[in-house]
């Protein structure tokens, strides 16, 4: 696929395909993915939820801005993207005040959030131990996200808008001459365009280094997930997602089992990460402290990388020191739930247009996302 385009997008996860889709409305796009399949490292390993209570104020605004699209996507997307699944956060004994403070904060974004007594929480998640929890809150508006349907919808839409996608296309060099970038690939082929969009997730700072741009101190962090069987007495279809206020674990119902994570954020270099047996053991211990599940056997496990900027907000915008280099990185653990709002925001910044109205109304400015804000 040698050739010249308007924009080269590097990265085939949710970040790359969503910004590629938006820009393809008026740009010739070539998307490059280093792996043999798209969404290999993070997007494809996500147990995603739509939570307007999740993340900092900027993330919550971008998430809320994505609700209309995720609820009623365009024809490129097959079937519903969202399925209702309540989200319950419990506080251990002695942590009730902290939970009240958290509730007051997130209610500003999601007024439907309500405090629950320990007994009410057990009514929703009957495996919780009454003596172990002080109180809980529930967000009845949260949703499960069909990650595959969302990602593949963007892929189809990008191609239907004329975008080209190449896998096994690791970028080994980026050179700029006469206002045009030339990306050299591992197989020796080249692709050229005036603009490069860095949507490479955990590898974003590495791509920036190839372009001569200053790193933005992005930090890839490992998130571990494992699956266990649910007791026969539990009907998983009606259970909420259960999260510990102190981030020792969360549990997400899945078919006839439960997905569990130690909610770990272990700093890592970019690579194909594997789950840690120690992190899994710690999560099992934490789960068994506050539930009657008696977890012992793990059915399967995996891990992915979630990449954060220092302030945990995305990094979006043209690099101030390198012409034609556009950042679209640092989505952290929120990239899927805020995909639409962030991609439309990124496209507006790219084109020099005003921010989407609902994003601006939430107080998010281009400067809040700019790569030089650090």
């Amino acid at each position: 696929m040698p050739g010249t385009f308007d924009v080269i997008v590097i990265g085939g996860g949710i970040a790359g395909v969503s910004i590629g889709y938006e820009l393809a409305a008026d740009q010739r796009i070539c998307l490059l993915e280093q792996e043999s399949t798209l969404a290999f490292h993070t997007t494809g390993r996500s147990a995603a939820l739509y939570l307007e209570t999740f993340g900092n104020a900027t993330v919550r605004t971008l998430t809320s801005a994505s609700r209309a699209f995720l609820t009623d996507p365009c024809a490129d997307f097959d079937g519903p993207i969202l399925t209702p699944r309540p989200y319950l956060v419990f506080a251990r004994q002695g942590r009730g005040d902290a939970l009240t403070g958290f509730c007051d904060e997130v209610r500003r974004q999601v007024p439907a959030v309500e405090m629950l007594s320990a007994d009410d929480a057990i009514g929703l998640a009957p495996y919780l131990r009454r003596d172990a929890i002080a109180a809980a809150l529930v967000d009845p508006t949260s949703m499960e996200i069909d990650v595959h349907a969302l990602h593949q919808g963007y892929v189809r839409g990008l191609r239907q808008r004329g975008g080209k996608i190449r896998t096994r296309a690791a970028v080994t060099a980026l050179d700029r001459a006469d206002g045009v970038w030339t990306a050299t690939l591992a197989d020796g082929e080249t692709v050229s365009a005036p603009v490069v969009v860095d949507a490479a997730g955990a590898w974003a700072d590495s791509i920036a280094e190839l372009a001569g741009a200053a790193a933005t101190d992005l930090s890839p962090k490992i998130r571990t997930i494992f699956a266990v069987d649910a007791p026969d007495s539990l009907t998983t279809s009606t259970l909420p997602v259960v999260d510990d206020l102190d981030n020792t674990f969360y549990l997400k119902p899945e078919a006839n089992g439960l997905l569990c994570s130690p909610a770990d954020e272990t700093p890592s270099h970019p690579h194909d990460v594997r789950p840690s047996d120690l992190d899994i053991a710690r999560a099992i211990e934490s789960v068994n402290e506050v539930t009657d599940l008696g977890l012992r056997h793990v059915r399967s496990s995996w891990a992915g990388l979630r990449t954060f900027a220092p302030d945990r907000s995305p990094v979006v915008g043209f690099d101030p020191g390198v012409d034609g280099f556009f950042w679209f990185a640092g989505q952290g653990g929120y990239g899927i739930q805020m995909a639409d709002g962030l991609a439309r925001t990124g496209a507006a910044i790219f084109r020099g247009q005003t921010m989407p109205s609902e994003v601006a109304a939430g107080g998010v400015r281009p400067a809040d996302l700019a790569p030089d804000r650090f």
Side-chain angles (χ1 to χ4, degrees), residues 4-9 23 27-31 191-197 350:
T4 300
F5 298 84
D6 296 321
V7 180
I8 297 168
V9 176
L23 294 179
Q27 305 284 319
R28 293 173 300 154
I29 304 296
C30 179
L31 185 145
V191 180
S192 299
V195 179
V196 167
V197 173
F350 182 97

Side-chain angles (χ1 to χ4, degrees), residues 27-315:
Q27 305 284 319
R28 293 173 300 154
I29 304 296
C30 179
L31 185 145
L32 304 174
E33 165 57 48
Q34 66 179 350
E35 304 295 347
S36 60
T37 59
L38 302 177
F40 181 82
H41 286 285
T42 300
T43 301
R45 307 181 190 190
S46 174
L49 293 171
Y50 180 83
L51 293 172
E52 292 177 88
T53 59
F54 194 35
N56 63 24
T58 296
V59 168
R60 295 197 299 267
T61 293
L62 292 165
T63 299
S64 294
S66 302
R67 178 178 275 275
F69 175 84
L70 293 174
T71 302
D72 186 20
C74 66
D76 294 322
F77 296 77
D78 287 339
I81 302 296
L82 300 180
T83 304
R85 178 73 72 177
Y87 175 65
L88 186 149
V89 182
F90 72 88
R92 297 171 187 248
Q93 295 293 345
R95 295 286 289 152
D97 289 345
L99 183 71
T100 300
F102 177 66
C103 184
D104 291 342
E105 178 184 354
V106 298
R107 265 184 181 154
R108 300 179 193 132
Q109 195 84 27
V110 187
V113 168
E114 60 177 311
M115 290 288 293
L116 300 177
S117 68
D119 289 335
D120 289 336
I122 292 169
L124 293 176
Y127 55 77
L128 290 171
R129 283 177 42 200
R130 178 64 183 81
D131 62 333
I133 65 173
L137 65 78
V138 65
D139 175 4
T141 70
S142 69
M143 304 275 186
E144 288 187 64
I145 302 176
D146 187 333
V147 178
H148 179 77
L150 179 62
H151 183 270
Q152 286 302 302
Y154 277 124
V155 170
R156 279 193 301 274
L158 172 57
R159 284 177 168 145
Q160 288 173 7
R161 290 179 173 184
K164 306 300 181 183
I165 296 174
R166 177 169 175 178
T167 56
R168 295 188 178 92
V171 177
T172 59
L174 283 171
D175 301 289
R176 188 169 177 85
D178 299 324
V180 174
W181 287 104
T182 297
T184 302
L185 310 183
D187 62 5
E189 290 191 14
T190 60
V191 180
S192 299
V195 179
V196 167
V197 173
D198 184 357
W203 282 262
D205 271 346
S206 299
I207 294 298
E209 184 178 357
L210 292 178
T216 54
D217 294 326
L218 294 172
S219 178
K221 298 178 185 292
I222 298 173
R223 172 56 54 91
T224 302
I225 301 177
F226 58 95
V228 298
D229 292 325
D232 294 338
S233 59
L234 289 180
T235 304
T236 57
S237 62
T238 61
L239 291 176
V241 174
V242 171
D243 198 358
D244 181 1
L245 177 67
D246 294 322
N247 294 318
T248 64
F249 73 87
Y250 69 78
L251 289 168
K252 178 178 180 286
E254 185 87 355
N256 294 320
L258 297 168
L259 295 184
C260 182
S261 173
D264 48 332
E265 291 189 355
T266 306
S268 172
H269 66 280
H271 71 292
D272 185 7
V273 294
R274 295 289 184 264
S276 161
D277 290 341
L278 180 58
D279 286 333
I280 292 173
R282 287 173 176 164
I284 288 175
E285 182 179 4
S286 294
V287 171
N288 288 339
E289 285 177 353
V290 296
T291 75
D292 295 322
L293 291 170
L295 299 186
R296 294 175 60 192
H297 303 294
V298 174
R299 193 169 62 202
S300 60
S301 62
W302 62 95
L305 288 172
R306 303 151 81 242
T307 302
F308 294 91
D311 60 2
R312 300 178 77 88
S313 290
V315 180

Side-chain angles (χ1 to χ4, degrees), residues 318 326 345-355 366:
F318 281 102
F326 189 87
T345 296
I349 294 172
F350 182 97
R351 297 183 178 112
Q353 298 171 346
T354 58
M355 301 280 270

